[in-house]
Amino acid sequence: MDVAVLGATGDVGRQVVTRLVDSRVLPTSSRLQLVGRPDGSSGRAVHGLRADLMDAYDEHAPLLDVALRPQDVVADIVVMAAGRTNPARPGVTHDRSALAEANVPVFRAYAEALAEHGSGHEVVVVVTNPVELAVGVLAETLGRHRVIGMGAWLDTLRFRREVAVQLGVRRHRVGGFVAGQHGEDIVPLWSSVRISGLDVDERRRAVARLRGGRTLDTFPTEIADAKSRLAALAEHDIGAAFALIDTWPADLQTAARPWMTHQSGAKTPAGTAAATADLVATILDGRDIVVAGQVALDGEVAVGGRPVHGVLGVPVVLGSEGWTRVLLDELAPDEDARLTGVVERIAAGVDPYLRGETRPTVAPTADASAVPAAPDPTPDLAPGTDPDDTRWVARIDTDHRTGAIAALAAVFATRGVNVDSLRTDDTADGAEAGTVVVAFRADERRCRVLVRSLERLAVVRTVDVRVADA
């Protein structure tokens, strides 16, 4: 399977691609596409990033590809890390509406390009904020089950860590999820917390001790008070501000620590990239696993007595084709009340863009219409041809070196395409190069993916593909 990272040279994008290569979740025959913009600094930096990754991980790196236009993005998994981010410095407030105005053109450009030029089955993992808006825009175009935001998973991992630290155990022993909206509108689901090694009664006592008699009814007030205290303390002693966070309950820590991290001047690319890579690895693995994520719901969940039709962070089952179902147990009264308010706030920020009532004033930074479309490497199909069972013939000129045939065969095998026939021919300079002729069946999109992957192989000189004669 192939992965594309949009915004690959940004703080988070760079961490994501590095983690994916270093963790070896992608075989050497897979393609990792580094996507930048031709009219920005990333248009230059993305080539340097590719060279740097090759230097560092040449022994086990996948095929590293560079793309500079939305319509050139073709992959099985797409990580949306492109767009504007909130600055990380003291005193800066996070303006979700300004971020939405800046980034919604990016979301739309990539959504439209993927719908028209993509593989047709890609799963999109959204990193860029506002996560909920990005999920809504992409899901509207690509289909809601193929889009998941990683914000709720990052918040979940943070919550589990804070609980684990207060219990004196490792994070992998703690279960539980965070729902809601990424940021300060998180909803820690204390009712979902499970602790390995503790029975039901022991777990209830442990959770009660951690919560200290509090409920989520006071959570918004606690967050606002925490930010005020931290901002005042951080002016003189940033270390003392982080030490103060350590004295608070786990759910308040989950909201306050990332906020303080941004106020310190640092960002959170490592944690964000780790959570993103987790979701990518889950999709690549092919097994269905329960995670948390922002998804576009259509009545699968009810809060406040009403079904939710919109984007919300919830626990879902995630697999190779996206998310399939929601696994949200009965909520405690305070969780239901807080989640009801969050649903309304998300809808207020997302729905106007989906209905077209709000037209961003910021110029698109990744407008697919700003540049001419890339030439299609596949010809028009003959009338009456079944597009899902088209027989293609590819002539591939390769270097004459050991392993060339194996590299070509791996491109087809790892993409689930069966080869009908394969033969080799000599070229005019047969001592230096050879021609491989491959016949195979695939739809037009998959054929395009194969061509692009073949062209990126170091042993390949040229690829010419056409519909086989009837």
Side-chain angles (χ1 to χ4, degrees):
M1 297 180 76
D2 298 333
V3 177
V5 179
L6 316 181
T9 62
D11 290 337
V12 173
R14 188 181 295 265
Q15 289 264 8
V16 169
V17 297
T18 302
R19 191 175 183 93
L20 290 175
V21 176
D22 187 47
S23 62
R24 308 190 187 195
V25 297
L26 290 169
T28 55
S29 57
S30 289
R31 183 168 59 104
L32 177 58
Q33 195 173 51
L34 314 177
V35 184
R37 292 186 293 113
D39 58 339
S41 60
S42 65
R44 294 171 57 88
V46 72
H47 290 282
L49 175 60
R50 177 178 181 270
D52 190 32
L53 290 170
M54 291 170 62
D55 286 343
Y57 304 107
D58 186 64
E59 290 78 11
H60 61 266
L63 302 172
L64 296 173
D65 184 13
V66 168
L68 297 179
R69 304 184 304 175
Q71 58 265 49
D72 290 336
V73 177
V74 178
D76 301 291
I77 303 172
V78 176
V79 177
M80 166 58 81
R84 181 177 168 184
T85 61
N86 280 313
R89 58 178 182 266
V92 174
T93 58
H94 295 175
D95 187 340
R96 299 184 74 90
S97 61
L99 206 57
E101 290 283 331
N103 287 338
V104 75
V106 181
F107 304 153
R108 285 180 175 145
Y110 280 113
E112 293 166 4
L114 288 172
E116 183 175 356
H117 303 284
S119 65
H121 60 263
E122 55 273 295
V123 177
V124 181
V125 178
V126 176
V127 179
T128 310
N129 284 309
V131 171
E132 292 76 18
L133 176 59
V135 168
V137 171
L138 287 156
E140 188 177 50
T141 303
L142 302 178
R144 62 194 186 92
H145 287 282
R146 288 167 50 195
V147 183
I148 182 170
M150 54 68 60
W153 185 234
L154 175 58
D155 294 329
T156 290
L157 293 176
R158 287 169 170 167
F159 179 50
R160 291 178 180 180
R161 176 192 173 275
E162 303 294 6
V163 170
V165 168
Q166 295 199 10
L167 292 176
V169 300
R170 299 296 298 273
R171 180 166 63 184
H172 70 270
R173 289 186 56 191
V174 177
F177 297 96
V178 170
Q181 181 170 223
H182 183 50
E184 295 170 22
D185 244 344
I186 60 172
V187 183
L189 301 179
W190 281 102
S191 62
S192 70
V193 170
R194 302 292 185 269
I195 304 160
S196 177
L198 300 186
D199 61 28
V200 175
D201 290 337
E202 290 172 330
R203 185 250 303 169
R204 287 174 178 168
R205 288 195 295 270
V207 168
R209 184 173 69 254
L210 293 178
R211 300 193 71 177
R214 301 161 47 254
T215 71
L216 294 180
D217 295 338
T218 60
F219 200 45
T221 303
E222 291 177 345
I223 292 175
D225 180 63
K227 289 169 59 178
S228 177
R229 294 176 62 187
L230 291 173
L233 187 57
E235 288 185 5
H236 310 288
D237 191 341
I238 191 72
F242 278 101
L244 177 60
I245 295 174
D246 290 336
T247 67
W248 292 341
D251 50 3
L252 186 56
Q253 290 176 331
T254 304
R257 200 182 302 276
W259 182 85
M260 193 66 250
T261 299
H262 276 271
Q263 292 294 305
S264 73
K267 293 185 178 181
T268 58
T272 302
T276 303
D278 270 354
L279 297 185
V280 172
T282 295
I283 299 168
L284 289 170
D285 186 60
R287 294 180 298 170
D288 290 344
I289 299 176
V290 182
V291 299
Q294 273 76 16
V295 297
L297 299 172
D298 190 20
E300 292 92 344
V301 169
V303 299
R306 299 192 303 272
V308 178
H309 296 274
V311 180
L312 184 65
V314 288
V316 296
V317 177
L318 181 66
S320 59
E321 298 181 354
W323 67 274
T324 53
R325 54 199 174 100
V326 179
L327 292 181
L328 188 63
D329 294 333
E330 183 178 353
L331 298 170
D334 62 328
E335 296 169 347
D336 185 70
R338 177 161 171 79
L339 206 54
T340 299
V342 171
V343 168
E344 295 171 354
R345 288 188 287 277
I346 292 176
V350 172
D351 287 357
Y353 290 96
L354 301 185
R355 291 196 301 265
E357 294 176 3
T358 301
R359 294 301 180 200
T361 57
V362 180
T365 56
D367 187 356
S369 64
V371 292
D376 193 335
T378 58
D380 293 333
L381 301 180
T385 302
D386 182 354
D388 294 328
D389 194 30
T390 306
R391 191 169 188 267
W392 308 88
V393 174
R395 293 183 60 86
I396 310 163
D397 288 341
T398 71
D399 291 343
H400 185 67
R401 71 169 79 167
T402 302
I405 299 297
L408 297 180
V411 170
F412 290 90
T414 57
R415 287 155 185 81
V417 176
N418 186 46
V419 172
D420 289 348
S421 66
L422 183 151
R423 75 173 192 269
T424 59
D425 295 330
D426 288 332
T427 58
D429 57 344
E432 299 296 333
T435 298
V436 179
V437 181
V438 182
F440 61 95
R441 295 180 186 274
D443 61 29
E444 190 171 353
R445 283 180 182 251
R446 190 172 295 273
C447 179
R448 186 164 62 241
V449 172
L450 288 167
V451 171
R452 292 181 182 179
S453 300
L454 291 167
E455 288 174 337
R456 301 297 178 176
L457 292 176
V459 298
V460 170
R461 298 185 176 188
T462 62
V463 179
D464 178 52
V465 63
R466 62 193 61 192
V467 176
D469 295 334

